[in-house]
């Protein structure tokens, strides 16, 4: 995906209302009226969100007699997911290093709190 397309996709996804609209469209096409119903905003405000989603290529509008149903276009989401997947290896390696460090710290903690060879564990002066 080109940089402009990726920028438009992430900018569109940055807004919770637009993400909710996409979630609704994932269940099937809907009109602006149907999309506006769960929101405390006007239809023109929802239409503005839809224009942002359309410019990002995430939504398309069809024509069915008098209806103009909106539908989800998944290609930009797939491309954004592919871009993010490139970083999965980096994060997996970072988590592996963190796990190894935690294992070292736990082992060092167990060694520091274990009774000494003479069997005199615990706090200094204990048992006297």
């Amino acid at each position: 995906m080109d940089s402009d397309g990726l920028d438009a996709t992430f900018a569109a996804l940055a807004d919770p209302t637009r993400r909710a609209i996409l979630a609704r469209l994932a269940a099937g096409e809907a009109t602006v009226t149907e999309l506006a119903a769960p929101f405390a905003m006007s239809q023109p405000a929802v239409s503005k969100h839809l224009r942002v989603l359309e410019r990002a290529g995430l939504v398309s509008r069809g024509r069915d007699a008098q209806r103009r149903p909106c539908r989800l276009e998944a290609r930009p989401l797939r491309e954004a997911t592919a871009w993010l997947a490139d970083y999965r290896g980096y994060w997996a390696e970072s988590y592996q290093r963190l796990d190894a460090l935690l294992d070292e710290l736990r082992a060092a903690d167990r060694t520091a709190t274990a009774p000494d060879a003479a069997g005199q564990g615990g706090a200094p002066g204990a048992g006297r």
Side-chain angles (χ1 to χ4, degrees):
M1 173 178 245
D2 66 357
S3 180
D4 290 341
L6 198 57
D7 291 349
T9 297
F10 283 120
L13 294 174
D15 185 273
T17 300
R18 291 192 286 267
R19 291 192 305 270
I21 290 170
L22 290 177
R24 166 54 186 88
L25 291 174
E29 62 184 37
T31 64
V32 175
T33 303
E34 293 166 337
L35 292 170
F39 301 107
M41 65 176 67
S42 66
Q43 282 186 352
V46 171
S47 290
K48 286 182 181 182
H49 283 293
L50 285 169
R51 281 194 293 279
V52 172
L53 292 167
E54 282 182 290
R55 280 194 299 271
L58 293 163
V59 169
S60 64
R61 294 193 204 202
R63 183 169 290 282
D64 180 18
Q66 297 298 335
R67 287 180 75 232
R68 295 225 31 214
C70 300
R71 66 183 56 86
L72 176 67
E73 299 294 335
R75 184 185 49 75
L77 292 173
R78 189 172 35 249
E79 291 170 350
T81 300
W83 183 84
L84 290 168
D86 290 343
Y87 293 92
R88 183 172 292 159
Y90 168 79
W91 288 111
E93 183 181 317
S94 295
Y95 286 131
Q96 288 171 352
R97 285 194 315 266
L98 180 59
D99 285 341
L101 177 61
L102 289 172
D103 289 342
E104 283 179 38
L105 292 173
R106 286 184 190 122
D109 189 44
R110 282 191 299 268
T111 303
T113 59
D116 63 21
Q120 297 176 336
R128 291 187 191 184

